[in-house]
Amino acid sequence: MSVRGAILGRHVASLRELAFREGAGIEVALLWDPAMDRVLIRVRDRRADESFVHAVAGPDALEAFYHPFAHAARGRIGGD
């Protein structure tokens, strides 16, 4: 495993899943990163094998969880 992979693996392992839902091949997870004290939304389209993660402000977390595509352009971190 590369150094980058090991660091990323530790970072991902530290994320806490607060909520999860799926439907029509789309998975949405609300995550909290305690190391950086931030909230993230991870969206995965299983049919297209694509995903993205974006940060959201704490007060907007539930809205972003239920409407992730409406928030996607505001804070995308990365994707497949």
Side-chain angles (χ1 to χ4, degrees):
M1 176 185 304
S2 70
V3 172
R4 181 174 180 260
I7 292 170
L8 183 59
R10 276 197 303 267
H11 179 72
V12 170
S14 72
L15 296 177
R16 305 287 188 263
E17 186 175 284
L18 304 176
F20 179 85
R21 66 184 181 86
E22 65 179 302
I26 305 290
E27 298 175 351
V28 180
L30 178 63
L31 307 166
W32 175 53
D33 179 351
M36 305 217 30
D37 194 24
R38 65 181 177 173
V39 179
L40 305 167
I41 296 291
R42 183 187 69 222
V43 179
R44 179 174 175 229
D45 183 337
R46 294 177 61 183
R47 295 171 296 176
D49 195 29
E50 295 180 358
S51 64
F52 65 87
V53 176
H54 67 96
V56 295
D60 298 330
L62 279 179
E63 182 180 344
F65 175 70
Y66 289 113
H67 307 285
F69 296 104
H71 289 265
R74 294 184 193 166
R76 187 172 288 205
I77 294 173
D80 296 343

